[in-house]
Amino acid sequence: MKGRRSFLVTPSACGTPLLRHPVSVSGTRAAGRASSSSSSSSSSARSFVRHLGLGRRWVSCGASEGSGEEAELRQLIEENTKLKERIAELEAFIGREELLLTPEASEAASEAPEVTEEVVDYDSIDLPSPADAKPFWESIPIRTQSGTGRSEAQGTKVDGFQLEVVHLTAEMAPLAKVGGLGDVVTGLARSCTARGHNVEIILPFYECIDEGLLDDFKFEFEYDVPRGYEWDGQFQVGSLKTQVYTATCEGIKMVLLRPDWSECNIFKGGRVYAGSYNETEAYLYFCRAGLEFLKVSGRQPDIVHLHEWQTSAAAMLYWEKYNKEGLHKPRIVLTIHNMDNTGECRAEEFGVTGMSGDMFNTVEKALDERTIGHNPERLSLLKGGVVYSNVVTTVSPTYAIETSTGQGGWLSGTLAEYQSKYHGILNGIDDVMWDPARDLYLPVPFSTSNLKGKYFLQKYVRSGLGLADPVQRGERKPLVVCITRLVPQKGIHLIRHSISKTVEQGGQFVLLGSGHADGDFRHLAEHDFKDHPDVKLIVGYSEALSHFLFAAADVVLVPSIFEPCGLTQMVGMRYGAVPVVRRTGGLADTVKDEENGFTFDGTDEGSLDGALCRAIECYKTRASVWEDLVVSNMKTDFSWTQSAQRYLDLYLSL
C-alpha cells in the first residue's frame, strides 16, 4: 500500500488543483451583482483577487525541500509571476461579467417566435397497422408547419461576455448517443452557444458515426499523439498519427479525432462502446489526444469540461504535464453523470498515455482504495478526475448529497473530502428537440392550448402497435409507458412487475428498452404478452419511436434504484405525461408526490404498487383533475436556461 501524504496545493503556484479548501471569487461576484454600483463591486472583487495572491507561499506538489536561500528566492519569484498571471486572468473574467450589469446587456433579449397553431384534419390521416410493411415510426409523415424551425438562438439573451469552452466527451447527441450523457452535452453546449459563448465539442471519430448528420465537415490536419508501450521489458514512448476533422452538428462546433486505423482499431466498430478495442486504452488515448490537439492548435480555452470516467484522465494529464508546458489558461470542470463505472485501470495500462501511471498510484491521487493490498493495486480514473479537477459537478442536487454521504459507494469518502468543490446541478432537457408543438417526428402537433393532437397520437400509436382502442369501447384506460435501459440500476424487477399490475388495474403498458438484462423481457414479449391487446414490449431502441411514445403516454414510469438525474420524467412531463418514479436522485428533485406526479420510496413491488395504483385511479376517476395536471406539467420549464446559468457561474468562479 502506498503511504498517505498530507499536502496543500493551489493551481496558482504549481498548476495542480488538489485543493483541500479551494477559494473562489463567486461569493464576491454574487455580492457585486446585488450592489447598486457595478464599479464598487468591481473594486471589491479586484481587491479580493489581489488578496488571494499576495504574501502567501505555497509548496509545490512533490517538490523537495529548499536547497538554500538562493533557490528559495528563485522559487518565490516564479510563484509570484504565476500568481500575477492568474490575477490578470481573474480580472479579465470580472471585466467580462461587469458587462452583464449594463442596461444594454439586460435589454438584449428578443421575443421568442410564436408557434402558429396548425389546423389539422385528423380524419384525413391514415392510421398505421402492425401489418404495415414498415413500422409507423420508420415511415414518419412529413410536417409542413411553418413554425418548425430549430433555431434556439431566437429569443435567447446574449451574455455581455464570452467564454471559450471546450467539452471533451465520449458522447454527443445525436451523433454518438448511448444514454443521457449525449443529450446533456448537446443541451448544455447548445444553450451556452445560443448565449454567445464560443463552445466546441471534442469527440472521438467513431467508425459508426453518421457523417450525414454533420455540416461543414472537413479534414483539417494530422498530428502525432504520444503513446506509451512496452518493448523488450522497457517502457517506451512512441506516437500515433491522429487526424483532425471539424464540423458543426445541431448548431454546435465539433472537433473529431480519429487515430490512424492502419496502426490500431481504436473506435472502430458498428456502435459506440461496442468495438473490438480495449475501451480503457481507447479513452486514455483520447484524453491525451484531446489535450495534445489543444496544444498543437494553439488554443487556450477558459474551460475544459470533462465528462465521466472516459475523459477524467485529461484532468490528471493536464495538471501534471500540459499546464506546465504552455497550455496554462484552462481550468478543469468534471461532470459525473453516473458513478456506476469509475474507470478501473492498472498503472501499467495508464502508460498508453505516454506517462507512467505510478505517479498517480497513491491514496491522495487516484489509487482505488478497494484494491489496497491486491497485486496489482489499481487506479480509478474517475477518482483521479475528482482530485485533479478545479470543480466537480453532478447532475442533480440530491444525487450530490447521496453520493457524498455514503450512497456513492467507495468514492463517497473522496467526494466528501472535496465537498467544497462538488456541486449538484440539475440537468435540463433540450426543449428544441423535445417540443410537442414543433416535433418533426410527429404527424400532428399539440400544446397546452390544444390537446387534440395528443389524443389523436394516442389513437395513432395504439393502432400502430396493435393495442385495443379504449375510446371505441367507451372505456378510460391510461397508457403507461416505460422508456429505459434494461439494466439493474433501472429497477428491472419493478418494471417486470408493473406490466401485470398495470393490466390488473385496467391500464395499458408499453415498454421500449434494451440492455444486458433484456432476456426476460424478450421472453415476455414472445410468449406471455404476444399479441396482447393491452401490452406491447419492444426490446430495442428507436429515437423516432421514443418521440411517439412520449407524445402518447398518460403515465411515464421511472422506478430506478438510483438515478443521478433522469431525463425521461422531464421529457414525459413536457409531452403531457404524469410521472410515477422512485424518490431518488434527480427524480426526487423534479417529481413531487401528488403535485406533478406520484412517488414511492422502497425498492419492493409493494412500494411501487402504491404509487402506480394511485396514478391509475386518478386517471380513471378524476378526468378534470388529470387534465389540469397534464397542462400544468407541460408548462413546467425544464429547459437548459437555468442549468446553463449555473454552469456559467461556476466557469466564471474559476
Side-chain angles (χ1 to χ4, degrees), residues 209-454:
I209 278 178
D210 180 1
E211 295 177 19
L213 296 173
L214 298 170
D215 297 318
D216 305 318
F217 178 56
K218 62 180 178 179
F219 169 77
E220 295 290 349
F221 61 89
E222 188 175 73
Y223 68 111
D224 290 323
V225 175
R227 190 184 191 198
Y229 62 95
E230 291 284 337
W231 179 259
D232 197 22
Q234 299 293 317
F235 180 69
Q236 308 284 336
V237 179
S239 63
L240 178 59
K241 291 286 185 187
T242 299
Q243 298 172 347
V244 178
Y245 295 83
T246 59
T248 59
C249 181
E250 297 290 308
I252 304 163
K253 289 186 285 187
M254 304 287 305
V255 175
L256 297 110
L257 303 181
R258 193 183 86 176
D260 185 344
W261 284 336
S262 68
E263 297 183 31
C264 69
N265 67 342
I266 290 174
F267 302 134
K268 295 198 74 175
R271 292 185 296 167
V272 176
Y273 306 144
S276 59
Y277 53 87
N278 179 298
E279 286 189 3
T280 301
E281 175 189 357
Y283 290 111
L284 286 171
Y285 150 78
F286 178 61
C287 289
R288 184 71 193 259
L291 293 173
E292 191 71 16
F293 164 74
L294 294 178
K295 178 182 174 181
V296 300
S297 64
R299 284 165 166 78
Q300 290 282 357
D302 298 308
I303 300 294
V304 174
H305 195 147
L306 311 177
H307 300 268
E308 295 287 61
W309 73 267
Q310 288 95 337
T311 58
S312 290
M316 302 156 69
L317 295 171
Y318 175 75
W319 287 111
E320 292 290 356
K321 183 172 181 65
Y322 283 90
N323 179 260
K324 302 171 183 178
E325 296 183 355
L327 188 60
H328 65 276
K329 187 178 182 183
R331 292 299 175 260
I332 307 298
V333 175
L334 169 67
T335 295
I336 300 172
H337 298 260
N338 193 323
M339 289 179 59
D340 223 10
N341 191 331
T342 63
E344 188 176 294
C345 171
R346 297 192 309 275
E348 59 267 30
E349 285 183 294
F350 195 91
V352 74
T353 64
M355 293 182 64
S356 171
D358 289 335
M359 70 185 302
F360 302 106
N361 205 17
T362 65
V363 171
E364 298 86 0
K365 293 186 178 180
L367 178 65
D368 184 336
E369 285 105 312
R370 296 172 302 175
T371 70
I372 291 174
H374 292 200
N375 186 17
E377 295 175 345
R378 292 185 294 276
L379 308 177
S380 163
L381 299 178
L382 188 61
K383 177 183 175 180
V386 170
V387 171
Y388 274 85
S389 295
N390 296 94
V391 159
V392 182
T393 72
T394 194
V395 291
S396 73
T398 296
Y399 191 62
I401 295 170
E402 291 172 348
T403 52
S404 60
T405 56
Q407 296 182 47
W410 70 275
L411 265 181
S412 284
T414 301
L415 293 170
E417 182 178 3
Y418 291 98
Q419 192 165 13
S420 56
K421 67 174 182 180
Y422 186 39
H423 306 267
I425 302 177
L426 188 69
N427 281 339
I429 59 172
D430 187 332
D431 60 352
V432 176
M433 181 182 297
W434 297 107
D435 182 357
R438 302 166 182 266
D439 194 323
L440 297 182
Y441 284 108
L442 304 180
V444 298
F446 63 96
S447 65
T448 55
S449 60
N450 182 7
L451 290 175
K452 291 180 182 178
K454 181 173 180 69

